[in-house]
Amino acid sequence: MNGRGRRTAERLVAAAFALTVLAAVSFAAVYVLGNQTQLLGLALCLAFAGLAAGFAVWAARLLPQGPYVEEREAMISPPEARRAFTAELDADQEPVVRAALPRRMLMLALGTLGVALVFPIRSLLFHGPTPWRALRRTAWRDGVRLVNADGAPLRPSDIALGGIVTAFPEGRLKDDHAMTVLLRVNPARLALPRGRKAWTVDGVVAYSKICTHAGCPVALYVQTAEQLVCPCHQSVFDVLKGASPVAGPAARSLPQLPIGVNAEGVLVARGDFPTPVGPGYWRSA
Amino acid sequence: MITRWAVRRVLLWLDGRVRIASVTRKTLAKVFPDHWTFMLGEIALYSFVSLVATGVFLTLFFEPSPAETVYTGAYGPMRGVRASAAYASAVTLSWDVRAGLLMRQTHHWSALVFLSAIVAHLSRIFLTGAFRKPREINWVIGLTMFLLGIATGFAGYSVPDDLLSGTGLRIAAATLLSVPVVGPWAAFLLFGGGFPGTSIIPRLYILHVLLLPGAIAALIGAHLAILIRQKHTHFPGPGRTQDNVVGSKMWPTYGFRSLALMCAVFAVTFGLGGLVQINPVWVWGPFRPSGATSPAQPDWFLAWVEGALRLYPPYEFRIFGYLVPAPFVPGVVMPALTFLVLYLWPWLDRRLTRGRGRHQVLDRPRDSPARVAAWAWGASFYGLLLLASSDDVVARYFQIPVFGIVRTMRIVVLVVPVAIGAVAYVLARALREDPEATLLDLRWRRIAAVIRRRPPDVEGGERRAAGAERPAASGEEGAGA
Ligand code: HEM
Ligand code: FES
């Protein structure tokens, strides 16, 4: 490269690094003056961009350009080296291979130890019931009162026509698994599966709020169509027909909670959900 | 001057103790091929550096605890809200820690750049046949880093305990639960009980900041050590053979170029982190079991699985009377098959192209139309799944019913990628006839000729391509496998 071109390139590189100096100073100044995320980011961006440009021009205009050629050795040893290698392996293996009893016992020892060391993985589930027991049932029992998210007992009149209320078993406000939605519909329009006549109170129905697809809370109620919609993958459940799935990837109905009113006029469960709630898992029922 | 003197003293001091002169000389003279596609892997490397640097800053403020606290910081709408310490500290990082939001956002953007660069790098390796013998080990290591990167990204996305990440975690739990026989145990062991429990945030955290990045760092070391041992491949060209590498030397030219790339990556990650908002957890709000945000999308590197979950029909079946629920096929089988095929590709490719020798000279993509077709199928299939993960957003934006989109997409993801693969195959064949041509030079006549001649020529074409590799490879083949 001639002297002129070289000098221009050097000046370019210097200018790029000067940008870094300015940007770095600005970064420090912005930091001291306050917390302005955009300006901080911009300053760091320019500081690194200056370095990048400087290095790039330096590499392209001021440093030796190839192409250079480097020899490459084969990624395999020459045949005689390989033969010598296997011969060596075989020779040294002899005394090991011949000692069959200690060798087999070593294998057994390592295998047993390996299996034994798997056991502590069980500690990861260090309290609470085992999976199938926990998944099968919820906290709902006959007579357990339904309360809202603030813990206040719910009466049928708390659920307006077209309204939706999330209910928990009394005293278990954090129990995600037992989460239930209460909806009021026109009782004459209800077409529940057979045997569920007594599971509702004046058109108030209760369904598990956990989507049977992948477990999201079924939080949207399209009142006009009387459908529950899951926000995650848009599964739609028909409230009038026992929350059976009508669209989207969910394949099973939301389980229905049998409800009634107790002597104080408060909504209570009449037992647990008839089937396991939430996303499916390996089970025979 | 003074630096030069100091560096020399240090190197000579080291040489007097661990004898590094010739190793260092060889390393400095290592030749790197001059082609821009060789920089994709470096972009991934440097965004990992950006992730570690910003991540370490975050660890000084983030509290991975599910314990309930009250946020009392500068962000008004959240003040007095009860939330987990994890969530509150993520909001504190964003609003109260000076430069905290910059670091958080730069960290998240770096994660997206990291995984995008990995996919681009993988595509280059795939299309040029760089995974072939002797580089199968690095292909397998690279894929493992890709998987670990996805896992790390998901864990990081989940730890702030906001409503959006809680939704993602819930779907992940249900997907794990769906695995036959062992699913319930796997999910309960991971979560320490039923979803959500109180163990998952600290567990994901230790995975996120130590175990997974540690594993990635170790694999990066192995990846680069093998790369140096085997040396780079290079594209075909004058003077480039099976027995040499042609390009620039590590010191100084390539070193400076690579430094430029590193700084450029940082400029991009900090620029995005400062100027483009990402994951504003204070908007999503803290995780509540009874709530979910809508629309909700995961980061792109998991959105393809989410798209599959949405498109898969409401179909569950039973094995020996036991339920296999809907998320199992799209959420477990599909991703597992994807990675299985990718892991086995070097060996599948050997059958396809019958190229069994060692390959130091790359194929151009057109040299193997079958590979181009496979890649094009994959890019469009997973791209369409990614699109499907936003079906609710698309529906809302264009005011069309989401179920129409789902029904259409179910067919589109099966049909369109096959069509795109076929088109890519034909184009690659047409280009192969004329090594000088680029895609823009292609004329319809040539393409039509490929299509018309196709039936008798498919076999012959493949054999010709495979045969061309063999003489070049035979230099090393004498030694046997
Ligand atoms: C492959 C590497 C990594 C990836 C893909 C990754 C990705 C992510 C993502 C996507 C987030 C969510 C950020 C958000 O809230 O918007 C996150 C959070 C976090 N990451 Fe990483 N990360 C990586 C490595 C690291 C390392 C090495 C550390 C520390 C040593 C770290 C520390 C953290 C911390 C403390 C958080 C929580 C802070 C917060 O979200 O507010 N990460 N990470
Ligand atoms: S979780 Fe409800 S549709 Fe997927």
Side-chain angles (χ1 to χ4, degrees):
Chain A
M1 182 180 289
N2 63 31
R4 272 276 283 301
R6 207 183 156 77
R7 258 198 312 282
T8 320
E10 283 177 358
R11 289 210 183 106
L12 263 174
V13 175
F17 290 158
L19 172 66
T20 302
V21 174
L22 281 179
V25 170
S26 324
F27 177 80
V30 174
Y31 182 90
V32 171
L33 293 176
N35 187 16
Q36 233 294 332
T37 303
Q38 285 88 345
L39 291 182
L40 286 174
L42 190 63
L44 273 193
C45 172
L46 291 177
F48 282 114
L51 283 180
F55 281 126
V57 176
W58 199 331
R61 307 269 298 272
L62 297 170
L63 294 177
Q65 301 297 312
Y68 295 94
V69 179
E70 189 183 7
E71 294 304 312
R72 177 201 299 281
E73 55 177 42
M75 271 303 115
I76 184 168
S77 306
E80 39 320 342
R82 282 167 77 89
R83 264 196 300 280
F85 180 49
T86 46
E88 183 88 17
L89 281 178
D90 291 347
D92 289 351
Q93 255 169 26
E94 259 314 293
V96 182
V97 175
R98 222 175 311 130
L101 182 62
R103 201 184 67 233
R104 286 186 191 137
M105 200 43 92
L106 175 64
M107 291 302 158
L108 186 62
L110 293 180
T112 322
L113 184 59
V115 171
L117 289 181
V118 169
F119 277 71
I121 291 180
R122 174 66 177 77
S123 306
L124 286 174
L125 179 58
F126 62 98
H127 63 77
T130 50
W132 275 276
R133 193 122 43 91
L135 290 167
R136 195 167 49 229
R137 306 201 57 181
T138 71
W140 293 112
R141 299 284 177 277
D142 189 15
V144 172
R145 301 205 288 179
L146 277 67
V147 298
N148 67 12
D150 300 323
L154 288 163
R155 291 164 189 279
S157 56
D158 292 330
I159 296 103
L161 189 66
I164 171 170
V165 172
T166 301
F168 294 87
E170 186 165 31
R172 309 194 60 136
L173 293 181
K174 303 237 149 182
D175 193 342
D176 185 14
H177 198 52
M179 201 161 49
T180 300
V181 283
L182 293 172
L183 306 133
R184 183 189 285 278
V185 293
N186 179 351
R189 290 168 49 78
L190 270 178
L192 296 172
R194 211 147 357 117
R196 297 198 190 169
K197 268 259 153 55
W199 289 19
T200 64
V201 178
D202 303 336
V204 175
V205 280
Y207 294 113
S208 163
K209 195 179 176 179
I210 311 175
C211 185
T212 54
H213 176 233
C216 284
V218 183
L220 311 174
Y221 182 42
V222 184
Q223 192 195 325
T224 45
E226 284 155 324
Q227 288 176 335
L228 279 166
V229 181
C230 177
C232 282
H233 316 110
Q234 292 85 41
S235 284
V236 180
F237 302 91
D238 187 338
V239 170
L240 297 178
K241 297 203 179 119
S244 53
V246 290
R252 274 168 289 115
S253 307
L254 299 171
Q256 183 178 354
L257 185 73
I259 52 171
V261 275
N262 67 7
E264 311 145 31
V266 170
L267 285 168
V268 291
R270 282 282 161 247
D272 198 356
F273 291 103
T275 51
V277 301
Y281 58 94
W282 186 254
R283 64 166 188 252
S284 55
Chain B
M1 266 310 115
I2 195 93
T3 14
R4 205 152 116 194
W5 177 82
V7 168
R8 176 170 310 189
R9 286 305 301 246
V10 169
L11 289 176
L12 291 177
W13 186 90
L14 277 173
D15 186 56
R17 280 149 190 87
V18 285
R19 195 167 167 180
I20 57 158
S22 69
V23 176
T24 313
R25 219 186 66 216
K26 248 198 229 149
T27 311
L28 292 180
K30 176 178 163 49
V31 166
F32 288 73
D34 297 314
H35 193 275
W36 63 270
T37 57
F38 284 80
M39 307 201 111
L40 296 170
E42 279 177 51
I43 296 179
L45 175 66
Y46 295 135
S47 34
F48 183 70
V49 174
S50 176
L51 277 166
V52 174
T54 50
V56 168
F57 182 92
L58 299 181
T59 58
L60 304 177
F61 307 93
F62 181 70
E63 270 179 71
S65 158
E68 196 171 87
T69 58
V70 177
Y71 175 76
T72 52
Y75 181 60
M78 244 340 131
R79 216 172 293 146
V81 169
R82 304 183 73 78
S84 66
Y87 179 77
S89 68
V91 177
T92 302
L93 245 173
S94 312
W95 285 87
D96 303 274
V97 175
R98 204 171 276 197
L101 183 58
L102 174 66
M103 295 296 177
R104 243 197 86 226
Q105 295 192 145
T106 302
H107 190 71
H108 202 136
W109 275 115
S110 304
L112 301 190
V113 172
F114 177 58
L115 283 151
S116 311
I118 289 183
V119 170
H121 179 54
L122 185 143
S123 299
R124 197 281 283 181
I125 303 292
F126 185 90
L127 286 169
T128 59
F131 52 78
R132 292 173 298 177
K133 189 172 163 187
R135 294 187 175 73
E136 305 97 321
I137 310 174
N138 256 354
W139 171 258
V140 167
I141 292 179
L143 280 174
T144 308
M145 289 196 283
F146 182 24
L147 269 179
L148 290 173
I150 292 176
T152 318
F154 179 71
Y157 183 78
S158 301
V159 288
D161 202 24
D162 57 287
L163 193 51
L164 193 56
S165 71
T167 305
L169 209 47
R170 187 192 286 280
I171 295 168
T175 306
L176 201 53
L177 203 61
S178 76
V179 178
V181 188
V182 295
W185 266 109
F188 270 61
L189 287 175
L190 178 66
F191 284 79
F195 177 87
T198 52
S199 304
I200 190 67
I201 298 287
R203 284 180 189 178
L204 286 179
Y205 185 69
I206 201 65
L207 281 168
H208 182 76
V209 300
L210 181 71
L211 301 176
L212 295 171
I216 293 176
L219 288 177
I220 289 177
H223 202 67
L224 297 183
I226 292 173
L227 168 86
I228 290 171
R229 176 89 184 131
Q230 296 183 328
K231 297 194 166 67
H232 284 75
T233 52
H234 48 191
F235 277 102
R240 302 188 189 169
T241 71
Q242 283 286 116
D243 308 311
N244 67 10
V245 204
V246 178
S248 305
K249 281 188 187 167
M250 167 90 151
W251 179 259
T253 313
Y254 195 84
F256 271 58
R257 208 187 287 162
S258 192
L259 278 177
L261 185 63
M262 179 175 83
C263 295
V265 169
F266 293 168
V268 169
T269 56
F270 278 105
L272 287 169
L275 300 175
V276 188
Q277 186 181 72
I278 188 163
N279 200 16
V281 288
W282 58 91
V283 176
W284 313 146
F287 174 71
R288 285 171 289 115
S290 60
T293 51
S294 175
Q297 269 73 36
D299 279 336
W300 75 262
F301 50 83
L302 272 174
W304 54 286
V305 182
E306 166 80 3
L309 284 175
R310 289 182 184 209
L311 291 189
Y312 193 74
Y315 173 62
E316 302 186 333
F317 55 95
R318 286 179 179 269
I319 300 179
F320 308 127
Y322 284 85
L323 178 69
V324 180
F328 179 61
V329 172
V332 181
V333 174
M334 189 276 294
L337 272 181
T338 302
F339 274 89
L340 185 68
V341 170
L342 281 172
Y343 271 113
L344 293 180
W345 189 264
W347 294 274
L348 297 176
D349 192 89
R350 272 164 83 130
R351 311 217 138 185
L352 219 68
T353 61
R354 283 174 246 167
R356 301 195 158 272
R358 286 184 190 72
H359 300 270
Q360 312 293 1
V361 181
L362 294 173
D363 279 349
R364 297 172 78 197
R366 65 187 65 178
D367 294 336
S368 174
R371 230 182 260 146
V372 173
W375 182 84
W377 176 87
S380 39
F381 179 70
Y382 296 103
L384 285 168
L385 285 184
L386 229 156
L387 187 67
S389 77
S390 299
D391 57 9
D392 48 345
V393 182
V394 174
R396 200 170 296 185
Y397 189 81
F398 291 106
Q399 306 268 317
I400 38 182
V402 72
F403 305 109
I405 299 183
V406 170
R407 266 197 298 273
T408 317
M409 286 298 282
R410 275 180 188 153
I411 297 163
V412 166
V413 290
L414 296 180
V415 174
V416 170
V418 174
I420 291 181
V423 169
Y425 184 88
V426 170
L427 292 180
R429 285 289 304 275
L431 281 173
R432 194 173 63 182
E433 309 284 302
D434 183 359
E436 304 295 314
T438 67
L439 211 48
L440 294 178
D441 301 331
L442 272 187
R443 291 289 165 268
W444 173 244
R445 201 144 30 89
R446 166 147 286 149
I447 298 170
V450 170
I451 296 171
R452 241 177 290 120
R453 254 190 298 145
R454 203 173 145 196
D457 205 40
V458 169
E459 266 295 306
E462 288 300 328
R463 208 173 300 129
R464 204 161 56 238
E469 285 154 9
R470 221 159 272 150
S474 62
E476 285 184 29
E477 257 332 71

